[in-house]
Amino acid sequence: LYAAAAAQEDSALAQRLARRASGTHPSLPLARYAGLYRDPAYGDLRVRVEGGRLVATVGPRLAGDLEHWNWDTFRLRFREPGDRGDNFLTFALGPDGTPETATIEGLHPFHRVEEPAAGTR
């Protein structure tokens, strides 16, 4: 059962790799994507810059590294043991170029929210 699921995931990724646009760059400097995004059903998604790369944390503990894929889409590789890492996160920019949403493929969009100032709630 697991081998069949892994083979299906490998096939889907191979198809995606074939359609990947090469030579693209993120629209913004990585620090501009950093922030807090929220969905009523899934909770918080925090994006931060760590060691010159983006890292996403979903909920209190599920962290993953973001690898640029194309344009404003990043491959999300969760750090959990056994995770195959075939997740994709896409940022949607507003008219002023600020990221408004971050969507993990297959989930509702997480909407950017202002983070409370340090020491306040």
Side-chain angles (χ1 to χ4, degrees):
L1 180 64
Y2 291 113
Q8 186 176 14
E9 287 177 17
D10 290 343
S11 174
L13 182 59
Q15 291 173 15
R16 192 166 204 146
L17 279 167
R19 294 188 314 262
R20 183 180 186 184
S22 62
T24 67
H25 303 284
S27 299
L28 304 170
L30 296 182
R32 295 272 312 272
Y33 296 99
L36 180 61
Y37 300 81
R38 185 167 286 149
D39 176 77
Y42 297 111
D44 289 349
L45 166 68
R46 183 173 303 279
V47 177
R48 67 187 186 285
V49 178
E50 186 178 284
R53 299 178 60 115
L54 290 177
V55 174
T57 304
V58 182
R61 290 190 274 286
L62 186 60
D65 300 299
L66 293 170
E67 165 194 322
H68 181 254
W69 185 259
N70 57 356
W71 297 292
D72 293 318
T73 297
F74 294 79
R75 188 172 181 182
L76 173 58
R77 294 176 178 250
F78 286 112
R79 295 174 179 173
E80 291 294 308
D83 182 76
R84 298 179 50 80
D86 300 337
N87 303 286
F88 291 86
L89 185 149
T90 301
F91 293 95
L93 307 182
D96 64 352
T98 300
E100 290 185 347
T101 63
T103 303
I104 297 173
E105 193 171 50
L107 300 180
H108 299 163
F110 291 78
H111 295 273
R112 191 176 190 127
V113 296
E114 291 297 319
E115 294 196 60
T120 65
R121 285 211 163 228

